[in-house]
């Protein structure tokens, strides 16, 4: 009998035919043997279902579910984690466009088993030539969940990564109707804040997963729209009072809002497009901070003054921006 803890691995996927086979192969190649693999197909219109069924037909550990109707990405993640076996002790999400190293499950489970109070385990992730989520000191393998959340809010050390970089204790998933608590792209980080009040956070200081960067992934749009700042404001609003003192929370909210307007001022001078401004006006209104045009103009002025301390450099930046927007050089304009 296999006396190692049972792990449920899940992959929620929509139209993932390009990378899904590599993702599945990485799960099948695990050194760790006691697992099930659940692939949740979100009404894909490409060959996703056929690829998933091909693997399920030859390996009984692989199970394929198909949603009866299309749902948003976060809802599909919630369906996936809610489908884990009642006997699983840990849950590992692997995004369909990512892949994990052969020792991923073994290394993460090993840490969790050595420290029973650990509820979530993180790890490094390679993204092109970058190693992500390296904020913790190398000797910090287990810290309190409260401390992990505080350093995220106060020290800008982001260790919760992405779903592919984390291992969850399954009882944390079962305790809430929806493990990912809302439909925003940062729902995975919010799930960590919602779960770590009474357990520890572990971290394996090794690269245990690889991220594929492409235009269709959610994080690409988040980066393009610079959506991380409003996400931080939202998480402070939702969870700040659980981990920060009242004074710390007020100060941090003010700091983050100030940095938000610095970013918006920079974006205005770069002639950000309509999608960008509609996104941020909507986010600010939803968060209870309607766009302050006076503050935006002030930040634009500050950025403009800073740039024109070096007029030649500023002119060259303007030329590049104009060329990007028009497809022509400044001479032709």
């Amino acid at each position: 009998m296999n006396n190692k803890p049972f792990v449920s691995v899940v992959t929620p996927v929509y139209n993932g035919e390009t990378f899904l086979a590599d993702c599945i192969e990485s799960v099948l190649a695990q050194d760790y043997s006691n697992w099930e693999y659940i692939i949740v197909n979100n009404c894909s219109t490409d060959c996703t279902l056929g690829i998933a069924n091909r693997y399920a037909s030859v390996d009984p550990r692989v199970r394929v579910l198909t949603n009866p109707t299309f749902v948003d990405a976060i809802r599909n993640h919630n369906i996936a984690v809610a489908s884990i076996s009642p006997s699983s002790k840990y849950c590992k999400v692997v995004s369909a466009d990512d892949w994990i190293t052969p020792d991923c499950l073994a290394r993460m489970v090993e840490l969790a088993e050595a420290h029973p109070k650990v509820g979530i385990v993180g790890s490094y992730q390679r993204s092109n030539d970058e190693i992500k989520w390296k904020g913790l000191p190398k000797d910090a393998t287990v810290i309190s969940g409260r401390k992990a959340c505080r350093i995220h809010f106060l020290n800008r050390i982001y260790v919760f990564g992405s779903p592919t970089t984390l291992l969850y204790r399954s009882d944390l998933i079962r305790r809430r109707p929806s493990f990912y608590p809302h439909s925003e792209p940062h729902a995975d980080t919010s799930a960590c804040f919602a779960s770590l009040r009474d357990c520890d956070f572990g971290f394996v200081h090794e690269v245990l997963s690889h991220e594929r960067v492409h235009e269709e992934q959610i994080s690409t749009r988040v980066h393009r729209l610079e959506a991380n700042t409003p996400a931080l404001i939202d998480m402070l609003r939702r969870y700040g009072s659980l981990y920060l003192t009242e004074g710390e929370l007020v100060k941090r909210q003010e700091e983050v809002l100030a940095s938000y307007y610095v970013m918006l001022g920079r974006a205005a001078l770069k002639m950000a497009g309509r999608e960008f401004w509609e996104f941020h006006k909507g986010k600010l209104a939803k968060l209870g901070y309607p766009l302050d045009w006076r503050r935006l103009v002030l930040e634009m002025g500050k950025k403009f003054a800073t740039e024109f301390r070096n007029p030649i450099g500023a002119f060259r930046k303007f030329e590049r921006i104009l060329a990007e927007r028009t497809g022509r050089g400044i001479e032709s304009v």
Side-chain angles (χ1 to χ4, degrees):
M1 293 181 62
N2 194 333
N3 59 1
K4 294 181 179 179
F6 190 53
V7 180
S8 294
V9 184
V10 301
T11 292
V13 57
Y14 170 70
N15 283 358
E17 66 177 8
T18 305
F19 305 117
L20 182 59
D22 288 342
C23 172
I24 296 173
E25 292 282 358
S26 76
V27 175
L28 299 180
Q30 290 301 294
D31 298 337
Y32 195 88
S33 58
N34 197 23
W35 50 263
E36 66 174 349
Y37 188 22
I38 305 165
I39 302 169
V40 181
N41 168 44
N42 191 19
C43 300
S44 297
T45 57
D46 63 1
C47 296
T48 290
L49 182 58
I51 293 169
N53 281 335
R54 185 171 74 243
Y55 284 97
S57 68
V58 297
D59 193 322
R61 298 172 298 177
V62 180
R63 181 158 52 102
V64 180
L65 306 177
T66 295
N67 296 330
T69 58
F70 178 80
V71 296
D72 64 59
I74 302 303
R75 174 61 181 147
N76 200 35
H77 276 69
N78 274 320
I79 291 171
V81 298
S83 303
I84 63 176
S85 168
S87 61
S88 84
K89 186 172 182 179
Y90 300 105
C91 175
K92 181 79 189 76
V93 178
V94 185
S95 296
D97 44 6
D98 296 339
W99 57 278
I100 56 177
T101 62
D103 60 343
C104 178
L105 293 184
R107 298 291 292 116
M108 299 185 98
V109 171
E110 178 184 29
L111 187 148
E113 286 293 283
H115 304 276
K117 287 189 63 178
V118 165
I120 300 176
V121 180
S123 60
Y124 298 147
Q125 181 179 51
R126 180 176 291 279
S127 178
N128 290 335
D129 295 329
E130 177 188 4
I131 305 299
K132 301 174 72 173
W133 323 119
K134 294 176 67 174
L136 288 178
K138 287 288 184 72
D139 60 347
T141 56
V142 176
I143 60 176
S144 72
R146 175 178 172 79
K147 182 176 180 180
C149 294
R150 283 179 58 81
I151 64 172
H152 184 108
F153 281 145
L154 298 177
N155 302 105
R156 306 180 189 184
I157 296 176
Y158 307 127
V159 295
F160 298 144
S162 68
T164 302
T165 68
L166 300 175
L167 177 81
Y168 306 112
R169 210 171 63 206
S170 295
D171 68 295
L172 297 179
I173 291 171
R174 298 187 186 105
R175 69 168 57 169
R176 297 198 305 273
S178 296
F179 180 66
Y180 299 106
H182 52 74
S183 60
E184 298 292 335
H186 58 280
D188 56 318
T189 305
S190 293
C192 293
F193 283 116
S195 302
L196 288 170
R197 295 176 65 181
D198 54 3
C199 60
D200 290 343
F201 178 71
F203 199 89
V204 179
H205 293 269
E206 299 176 25
V207 174
L208 298 180
S209 63
H210 291 247
E211 176 189 43
R212 286 190 176 90
V213 179
H214 56 90
E215 284 301 313
E216 286 74 31
Q217 67 184 155
I218 293 174
S219 58
T220 297
R221 183 172 185 269
V222 168
H223 179 74
R224 184 177 73 251
L225 294 177
E226 298 202 52
N228 285 324
T229 300
L232 182 54
I233 292 175
D234 184 43
M235 286 185 286
L236 281 166
R237 181 173 61 88
R238 293 174 186 267
Y239 304 106
S241 62
L242 300 178
Y243 300 105
L244 305 179
T245 67
E246 183 177 352
E248 288 173 333
L249 178 57
V250 170
K251 183 173 183 266
R252 192 72 186 103
Q253 286 173 323
E254 292 173 350
E255 290 172 347
V256 174
L257 191 60
S259 68
Y260 198 163
Y261 274 92
V262 171
M263 180 272 290
L264 292 176
R266 182 178 67 247
L269 290 182
K270 289 183 177 179
M271 297 184 286
R274 182 172 181 174
E275 181 188 14
F276 178 91
W277 291 108
E278 287 183 347
F279 173 82
H280 286 285
K281 283 193 290 184
K283 285 294 182 185
L284 282 166
K286 186 175 180 180
L287 293 170
Y289 300 98
L291 182 61
D292 185 336
W293 291 101
R294 183 176 177 275
R295 189 169 186 177
L296 175 59
V297 170
L298 179 62
E299 291 299 336
M300 289 173 62
K302 290 179 182 177
K303 181 64 176 175
F304 187 83
T306 300
E307 290 291 341
F308 270 82
R309 291 173 186 168
N310 178 8
I312 295 176
F315 181 83
R316 288 174 177 168
K317 285 183 181 180
F318 177 70
E319 181 180 13
R320 287 196 300 270
I321 293 168
L322 197 60
E324 290 173 2
R325 295 291 181 270
T326 65
R328 297 180 291 169
I330 194 167
E331 296 87 353
S332 61
V333 174

